[in-house]
Amino acid sequence: MKVDPSLCIRCGACVSVCPFDAIDATDGYVAANERCTECGICEKVCPVGAIEVARKKV
Ligand code: SF4
Ligand code: SF4
């Protein structure tokens, strides 16, 4: 997934909810690491819609 840093309020909700521990928060920025499976859970909890999940091709 990708985070739009201009929208993110750094609430930490996505970091808490990710079941794969795939979101790193460093220096106030959040970003997905290589463990991200694009499951979409974080996208649902982000209060400001800053998260965009890549849709897997079928
Ligand atoms: S899409 Fe899923 S695996 Fe990727 S960062 Fe969000 S909650 Fe974690
Ligand atoms: S849930 Fe949204 S606003 Fe909160 S830290 Fe994650 S990306 Fe930023």
Side-chain angles (χ1 to χ4, degrees):
M1 63 82 162
K2 284 194 170 73
V3 176
D4 183 337
S6 69
L7 294 175
C8 176
I9 58 172
R10 299 162 179 78
C11 68
C14 55
V15 179
S16 303
V17 80
C18 178
F20 301 99
D21 193 24
I23 305 178
D24 296 323
T26 47
D27 298 332
Y29 289 92
V30 295
N33 59 38
E34 70 285 348
R35 287 190 293 276
C36 177
T37 63
E38 307 291 348
C39 69
I41 294 174
C42 57
E43 184 180 37
K44 290 193 179 69
V45 301
C46 179
V48 294
I51 293 177
E52 186 177 344
V53 174
R55 303 296 171 198
K56 284 177 182 161
K57 289 179 181 170
V58 289

